[in-house]
Amino acid sequence: MEPLRIALYSHDSLGLGHVRRNLALAHALTNQLPGLTGRPVTGLLITGTAVAPGFRAPEGWDWVLLPGVDKGPAGYKPRNLNMRMPDLVSLRAVVLEGFLTGFRPDLIVIDRHATGIHRELDAALSRVRAEGHARIVLGLREVLDSPDTARDEWDRLGGAGVVRKFFDEIWVYGDPSIHDPVAAGEIPFSLRGLIHYTGYLATGRPPGAGPNCMPGPYFMTTVGGGSDGHALASIAAATPLPSGLGHLIVTGPQMPAGDLRQIRRLATTGTTVVAAVDDVIGHMRRAAAVVSMGGYNTVCEIMSTDVPALIVPRSQSRAEQLIRARSLSRAGYLEHHHIGTLTPQILAAWLAARLGTRVDRSRVLLNGLIRVPQLAAGLLQTGPKAAALPLPARESESAGRVAV
């Protein structure tokens, strides 16, 4: 039986959120699509972060590593290569077009950025659509950013018409009863007909195989990839612990070495500081409480447990983490605190009040990793979208101009 070919793209500048989301999807599609379609799965995970191949990919998948980009005050810039950003974008575009047309995927899922960095996917998606072979999906986390910022990004993309030109469907990885990005003005209202809400990509994430780092009762602090987690990790490291309780701090593989050394120097007695653990979800489930930043994947992992959680969202770059933390806090599924007013004493008091408690999160739609393979199977059974006529030079259709 000819395998289904799937390509999952993430641009990857800051953090590991995009590639971790695609990795969870790759495992779910590999495990479930054969039963839904009668065909095995093989695929490419296209990423721009050099640490991605350190994660375990499903059997039948391989990594495509793009030249890296970073985010500076003036926008995207080359991470390592000494070249102009336009030249780097051109290089990435050539690589993307080569792999997407040469691999001939049946399904392409683009994470978050519809046409990549500076529209690096335009040529590849145009050629794939003209050949009429692949179904193409835009995958979006449930929170994009503040409405104004999201509107500007859609305008730079070229408006909703670009999405209608290239994409068959939009999968929003969230529960609209918690946060609806269309109603919030983060996604253009005119795209609502393409949208399927999948639920959070929470339950069913593949567990790791590593041993438990903590032998006894403990609480856990995690800061995602770690590139911007120094402030929270520093406060957590200095937090006094109740008698008999340990503390596991996972700084993330992208925390600079100097910051990691400082966190270890600050650590109170009973605190263990590690860069990474293989089984994050397993450690969370065994913890008495969890403190974390508000990235999508970490929050999904927390939501798959009944462990009390305090979210300390990123305060720079994007409003995404704060919006997510507020929406889930309003629904009663976790709590949040601003990094600017958090102290070790406040954190210790929160921890003491939450020890021995559990949180019922059973009413939230957390089965996105089951729903996505079902959507993929249904889409693959339909004919591919006909090649669209070229758009005018610029179609600007901003998000949020029509209220729902």
Side-chain angles (χ1 to χ4, degrees), residues 135-357:
R135 285 69 163 172
I136 308 177
V137 173
L138 176 61
L140 299 176
R141 62 186 184 233
E142 91 291 19
V143 179
L144 299 183
D145 209 323
S146 67
D148 287 345
T149 300
R151 183 180 300 118
D152 290 343
E153 290 183 351
W154 287 108
D155 283 344
R156 287 196 297 273
L157 170 70
V162 171
V163 177
R164 289 194 297 270
K165 172 187 175 184
F166 287 136
F167 293 90
D168 298 280
E169 293 181 354
I170 299 172
W171 298 343
V172 176
Y173 306 132
D175 182 341
S177 71
I178 304 297
H179 180 81
D180 185 344
V182 176
E186 299 168 34
I187 298 177
F189 183 75
S190 63
L191 294 176
R192 67 197 183 282
L194 296 179
I195 292 175
H196 296 272
Y197 294 94
T198 69
Y200 291 92
L201 306 180
T203 56
R205 287 190 174 229
N212 190 0
C213 293
M214 303 296 288
Y218 63 95
F219 91 99
M220 180 177 177
T221 297
T222 177
V223 292
S227 58
D228 57 353
H230 178 261
L232 176 56
S234 297
I235 294 168
T239 297
L241 301 174
S243 177
L245 187 72
H247 184 189
L248 174 64
I249 300 178
V250 183
T251 63
Q254 292 180 324
M255 179 170 282
D259 289 351
L260 178 56
R261 287 193 295 270
Q262 184 183 30
I263 301 303
R264 287 180 167 146
R265 287 195 298 269
L266 290 170
T268 55
T269 301
T271 299
T272 298
V273 181
V274 297
V277 293
D278 185 59
D279 188 5
V280 173
I281 298 174
H283 282 81
M284 284 183 177
R285 287 176 179 155
R286 291 186 289 266
V290 175
V291 175
S292 84
M293 296 177 69
Y296 178 85
N297 295 282
T298 302
V299 168
C300 281
E301 289 162 344
I302 290 170
M303 294 289 287
S304 71
T305 76
D306 61 358
V307 177
L310 179 69
I311 303 300
V312 185
R314 176 190 296 143
S315 59
Q316 297 176 336
S317 180
R318 291 188 177 276
E320 167 220 344
Q321 292 195 5
L322 178 59
I323 295 169
R324 177 175 299 114
R326 283 175 172 169
S327 63
L328 287 166
S329 180
R330 281 194 299 269
Y333 296 120
L334 46 77
E335 299 168 79
H336 75 283
H337 197 103
H338 193 277
I339 187 67
T341 57
L342 186 66
T343 65
Q345 291 70 35
I346 290 174
L347 185 51
W350 176 84
L351 177 62
R354 298 299 172 268
L355 288 178
T357 67

Side-chain angles (χ1 to χ4, degrees), residues 82 95 103 143 145 189 198-199 205 238 318 366 381 391 402:
N82 185 12
V95 173
F103 185 56
V143 179
D145 209 323
F189 183 75
T198 69
R205 287 190 174 229
R318 291 188 177 276
L366 301 174
Q381 290 170 2
L391 285 172
V402 183

